[in-house]
Amino acid sequence: IMEKQKAAELVRQLDDERGSKPTITVFDEKSSPPTKKFWDLLGGKAEVAKEIPDTPPSTFKKMFQLSDESGSMTMTKLASCGKQFLDPADVFIVDVGTEVYVWIGSGASSEEKSRGLEFATTYLADNKRPKRTAITVLKEGAYNPTFTAL
């Protein structure tokens, strides 16, 4: 039953992401077992993995610095991701896979502060991430458990 619920949830997410364009077909092994054509469309029958993790691997973490120090707003990807790279003079966008954080340093300019969420939203769209991906805005000093674990 849990697998059917998970499959239904995934189908709803895909349907939402693709603007209700997909045609949804439900296959039930008991009433209509998958045919050779079904498996051929999927690239052939293969062994199913025992478990698929719900959380992305920790290697997924990405960190970007948003700064207007040069006179124009730029978003620069950092080589590493961690709290030690947070600079109070700027805004940072941190992607942990399941959620994106906009960290606002206490010394960030008003433009950086006001455009952080805009840049995070654009980042998600440019990377074809689901619209349901949470974006959390954190001001310097206010951390949540997931962000603190960086």
Side-chain angles (χ1 to χ4, degrees):
I1 292 176
M2 290 179 65
E3 290 87 2
K4 287 183 180 180
Q5 290 173 337
K6 189 70 173 177
E9 180 183 320
L10 180 61
V11 166
R12 282 192 301 274
Q13 290 172 358
L14 288 170
D15 191 46
D16 289 345
E17 289 173 14
R18 296 176 182 170
S20 299
K21 292 179 184 175
T23 301
I24 300 170
T25 305
V26 178
F27 287 96
D28 182 5
E29 283 186 305
K30 292 179 183 172
S31 62
S32 60
T35 63
K36 181 177 179 347
K37 180 180 178 185
F38 170 83
W39 289 114
D40 287 345
L41 289 170
L42 294 176
K45 192 170 183 177
E47 191 172 319
V48 178
K50 292 194 186 309
E51 183 179 335
I52 298 172
D54 287 333
T55 56
S58 60
T59 57
F60 188 86
K61 295 177 185 172
K62 297 177 185 175
M63 190 171 195
F64 303 87
Q65 183 174 14
L66 190 62
S67 178
D68 61 359
E69 188 175 25
S70 66
S72 64
M73 190 66 68
T74 58
M75 185 168 109
T76 308
K77 183 177 179 181
L78 302 181
S80 298
C81 183
K83 290 184 294 186
Q84 68 272 24
F85 300 109
L86 297 173
D87 178 357
D90 288 317
V91 170
F92 290 81
I93 296 171
V94 182
D95 184 356
V96 296
T98 55
E99 189 170 359
V100 172
Y101 294 95
V102 177
W103 184 87
I104 301 174
S106 58
S109 71
S110 58
E111 185 179 6
E112 289 170 345
K113 290 177 183 178
S114 67
R115 297 193 60 201
L117 187 59
E118 172 193 338
F119 271 76
T121 304
T122 302
Y123 164 76
L124 288 176
D126 289 349
N127 288 279
K128 299 188 181 4
R129 298 285 296 285
K131 292 179 182 179
R132 72 183 188 298
T133 303
I135 299 175
T136 303
V137 177
L138 296 171
K139 293 186 178 180
E140 183 177 358
Y143 301 107
N144 75 13
T146 306
F147 190 81
T148 303
L150 287 177

